[in-house]
Amino acid sequence: MSQDLLTVRNLSVHLRCGGGMILQDISLSLRPRQVLGVVGGSGSGKTTLGLALLRLLPPAMEQTSGSILYRAEDLAACSEVRLRALRGGALSMVYQEPASAFDPLYTVGRQIAEALEAHGDSAGQKRIVELLVMAGVKDPQRVADSYPHELSGGLLQRAMIAQAVSCSPGILIADEPTSSLDVRVQARVMELFMRLKDQLGLGIILITHDLGLIRHFADDVLVLDHGVMVDHCPVGSLLFSERADYTRRLLEAESL
């Protein structure tokens, strides 16, 4: 029996008006405790892939072919009620801009509690504090009682990670999770992802334009160029001469 958490086969996404292609024939798989890096330039379809996996494509886009299986359950066949249970409970996402992901009108603790309550957890204060501690927050009660604008980018990112893992998902999709952070905070956030991966058995999809992150933290890499998968290989194979031209150009740009 397959041990894959996620199996994607020939996934294509197009614009509804005009039919322009956003993703074409993307296939991948993800195991527990595996980090799959998704890399490519701006407009390559990285974020669209993450949204498609969660069945959260914007109204202007539609999945036109392919299958997305979570532990052999076909997400395309799921009702909206079932999808609400799977989002957060099976697949969760950490967004690029934590300040935009949180509602400015509510405290961070209240918003973590809402995620828990949506999945049937009474979300006591002790549980919220435990989640923030797990995410490496040193003053969890203060962070829980704070509004988003009162916290630094690094603390907001940790709070969003706490919210994302609050319902014990199997898969965490991290969309450019360190792009708005300084270098030292980036390293701490990535170390946190790796610790949670091992501690919780997460499979992680790391979406980034930064090949340095991929080479240090990912097991395998999927390279996108304008919605087309041009490479899919173990990270250790990236330097091999037979890699696709686009991958080689990315590596050369990184070395400049």
Side-chain angles (χ1 to χ4, degrees):
M1 183 179 293
S2 172
Q3 297 301 309
D4 290 341
L5 290 169
L6 183 72
T7 305
V8 178
R9 292 288 177 264
N10 306 114
L11 173 67
S12 293
V13 173
H14 287 74
L15 291 172
R16 291 182 184 275
C17 297
M21 183 268 292
I22 307 296
L23 293 173
Q24 182 173 354
D25 291 331
I26 306 299
S27 296
L28 59 90
S29 61
L30 186 71
R31 304 180 306 275
R33 295 185 172 85
Q34 179 190 9
V35 179
L36 171 65
V38 178
V39 68
S42 297
S44 61
K46 304 187 299 298
T47 295
T48 299
L49 175 59
L51 294 174
L53 297 180
L54 286 165
R55 297 287 308 278
L56 287 174
L57 288 171
M61 299 180 189
E62 63 177 334
Q63 179 182 332
T64 53
S65 65
S67 61
I68 304 170
L69 305 179
Y70 174 76
R71 297 188 186 273
E73 181 175 8
D74 185 358
L75 300 188
C78 290
S79 66
E80 189 58 38
V81 172
R82 178 59 179 153
L83 284 172
R84 284 198 295 270
L86 289 170
R87 294 180 189 125
L91 302 93
S92 195
M93 194 164 188
V94 173
Y95 295 92
Q96 180 176 357
E97 294 289 345
S100 300
F102 281 105
D103 190 321
L105 299 179
Y106 298 94
T107 65
V108 165
R110 177 63 252 166
Q111 294 179 70
I112 295 174
E114 287 179 351
L116 288 160
E117 290 164 2
H119 291 271
D121 192 313
S122 58
Q125 193 67 23
K126 181 180 178 182
R127 175 62 174 149
I128 295 167
V129 167
E130 288 172 350
L131 286 164
L132 289 168
V133 169
M134 182 188 297
V137 175
K138 295 181 179 178
D139 190 357
Q141 192 61 64
R142 180 184 70 82
V143 171
D145 293 339
S146 296
Y147 289 88
H149 72 273
E150 296 176 316
L151 300 175
S152 68
L155 276 175
L156 270 183
Q157 191 68 288
R158 288 176 182 273
M160 186 171 15
I161 293 169
Q163 184 183 54
V165 302
S166 61
C167 299
S168 302
I171 296 170
L172 187 64
I173 302 169
D175 184 11
E176 299 277 10
T178 64
S179 63
S180 62
L181 306 176
D182 67 47
V183 174
R184 288 179 298 177
V185 178
Q186 284 182 16
R188 291 197 290 269
V189 167
M190 289 308 303
E191 288 166 3
L192 171 61
F193 278 122
M194 297 304 105
R195 178 166 59 79
L196 292 175
K197 169 182 70 77
D198 294 332
Q199 182 178 343
L200 304 177
L202 291 170
I204 295 178
I205 297 177
L206 175 60
I207 297 171
T208 182
H209 65 278
D210 188 341
L211 268 173
L213 286 182
I214 297 293
R215 292 167 75 176
H216 280 94
F217 296 105
D219 301 300
D220 297 292
V221 59
L222 187 156
V223 182
L224 291 177
D225 180 22
H226 292 90
V228 176
M229 185 173 66
V230 297
D231 234 331
H232 189 189
C233 64
V235 167
S237 301
L238 272 177
L239 296 177
F240 289 0
S241 60
E242 63 266 25
R243 299 265 58 91
D245 288 342
Y246 182 73
T247 306
R248 287 202 298 272
R249 292 200 300 273
L250 286 178
L251 289 165
E252 290 166 0
E254 181 197 18
S255 65
L256 293 177

